[in-house]
Amino acid sequence: MAPTSPPTFRRRRLGTALRRLREAKKLTQQAVADAVGVNIDRISRAELGRTKIDVPLLRVLLDEYGVRDQGLRQTLEEMTRNISERGWWHSYASFLTLTFQDFLGLEGDAELMRSWETLVPGRLQTEEYTRLLLAAGQGIVHSTREHLESRVAVRMERQRKLNRPHEIVLSEAAVLGRIGDAGAMKRQITHLREQSDRDDIKLRILPLSCGPHLGLDGAFTIFTFPDGGQLVGLEALLNSFYLEDEDSLRTYNAAFDQIRDLALDEKQSKAFLERAAHTA
């Protein structure tokens, strides 16, 4: 019997993709197991992300599901090969929660992210802003100065590593609020304006005057992966939570569309940041 272990998000994503392909062909797990010559438990555990599968078995399954798209086949093969690959953050693992490590892995695997943010997102923070923000948790969330500085280092390294397309809607409150003194905010706002010119960043500002919207319930990020799968990430003080059921995905995609449509367009947002930097 193949070893069983708690599912990681990478294994779960692969399993979900295989389940979708099987269901699209209207095949039962038993029918697939019989066709490819394995025990049904292996198919079940693979779809739940509780066991690894190898590339030869993956190819047999994709043949059984009639997958001819070479791009999709290659994507799933790469996911299978890299399922247990250590991330760049491994050397910081002792300072990071497992769910935050999952978050870093997910954003590294994604081909697109769409985020609604009420604080300047980590990807666009200056090191100064990051340190001031995290310092609020000194002695509560961060037990030592070393812990805090390690989180700062992770966030800066994350910025250097990450180049995935990212569409961000940011609340005006994040720009008008004060993290540190006026100089620190001026430098952060100027940095935001500069980062908004990047090809992989689409940044819009949502005015406080826009009225009620679905983002008032909290920030979220929608990850879209090369295999077509999606996942919604919700961050809390100590943990992150992930939703992948169809109803949640439909709701959060519609919520992001609503928030984006209420926001300033990219050109207006850049002008807003320029004005905010001058008055900070």
Side-chain angles (χ1 to χ4, degrees):
M1 180 179 291
T4 299
S5 60
T8 66
F9 278 98
R10 279 181 170 175
R11 287 211 304 267
R12 281 178 58 183
R13 286 202 302 106
L14 177 60
T16 298
L18 292 174
R19 176 180 55 77
R20 287 201 309 264
L21 291 171
R22 175 180 60 77
E23 291 177 346
K25 297 295 288 186
K26 295 181 169 54
L27 295 170
T28 65
Q29 290 182 341
Q30 186 64 64
V32 172
D34 292 343
V36 303
V38 300
N39 190 291
I40 187 175
D41 285 347
R42 190 163 187 197
I43 301 298
S44 176
R45 291 198 306 273
E47 290 188 0
L48 291 171
R50 294 190 175 277
T51 190
K52 299 177 184 179
I53 65 171
D54 54 29
V55 171
L57 176 57
L58 174 71
R59 289 173 177 168
V60 171
L61 290 172
L62 295 182
D63 288 342
E64 186 66 22
Y65 300 151
V67 178
R68 302 286 181 263
D69 184 329
Q70 291 303 311
L72 177 57
R73 292 180 72 103
Q74 182 177 351
T75 293
L76 294 176
E77 285 192 22
E78 289 177 356
M79 192 187 304
T80 301
R81 292 191 184 96
N82 298 333
I83 212 86
S84 299
E85 185 181 62
R86 286 180 170 179
W88 58 262
W89 57 90
H90 179 72
S91 60
Y92 300 99
S94 61
F95 297 100
L96 305 175
T97 64
L98 290 176
T99 50
F100 187 62
Q101 292 179 57
D102 282 330
F103 185 91
L104 295 174
L106 290 169
E107 69 177 7
D109 290 344
E111 67 174 8
L112 171 67
M113 293 180 291
R114 303 202 301 165
S115 299
W116 156 242
E117 301 283 358
T118 55
L119 279 173
V120 175
R123 189 173 180 181
L124 302 181
Q125 292 174 6
T126 64
E127 183 171 344
E128 179 183 31
Y129 182 97
T130 295
R131 186 170 284 106
L132 288 166
L133 193 63
L134 295 181
Q138 182 70 54
I140 303 173
V141 178
H142 314 296
S143 56
T144 65
R145 187 70 188 182
E146 181 187 11
H147 187 184
L148 187 152
E149 289 300 328
S150 293
R151 290 298 298 269
V152 173
V154 167
R155 196 160 294 184
M156 295 303 102
E157 184 67 13
R158 175 187 174 198
Q159 292 181 6
R160 289 187 285 271
K161 298 287 187 183
L162 196 58
N163 58 7
R164 298 291 190 270
H166 198 169
E167 188 173 355
I168 300 165
V169 181
L170 179 63
S171 171
E172 180 183 4
V175 180
L176 298 182
R178 181 62 61 86
I179 302 295
D181 60 21
M185 280 308 301
K186 183 180 184 70
R187 288 185 286 274
Q188 176 59 72
I189 296 168
T190 299
H191 183 69
L192 269 178
R193 171 61 186 88
E194 292 168 350
Q195 294 297 295
S196 69
D197 285 333
R198 287 169 46 172
D199 292 338
D200 58 340
I201 298 292
K202 290 185 177 180
L203 177 63
R204 294 184 180 217
I205 302 296
L206 182 68
L208 291 172
S209 60
C210 72
H213 58 84
L214 291 172
L216 293 173
D217 283 336
F220 59 86
T221 296
I222 303 168
F223 302 90
T224 300
F225 302 100
D227 57 67
Q230 283 194 325
L231 198 68
V232 176
L234 309 172
E235 290 188 69
L237 179 62
L238 293 177
N239 230 326
S240 297
F241 304 90
Y242 300 98
L243 306 173
E244 51 190 334
D245 61 281
E246 290 185 6
D247 286 344
S248 293
L249 292 173
R250 187 181 308 110
T251 298
Y252 276 93
N253 275 290
F256 183 86
D257 289 342
Q258 180 201 72
I259 296 165
R260 181 195 57 200
D261 291 346
L262 290 170
L264 304 176
D265 64 27
E266 290 179 64
K267 183 176 180 180
Q268 292 169 331
S269 296
K270 290 175 181 179
F272 170 87
L273 291 172
E274 288 171 359
R275 291 193 301 271
H278 283 122
T279 58

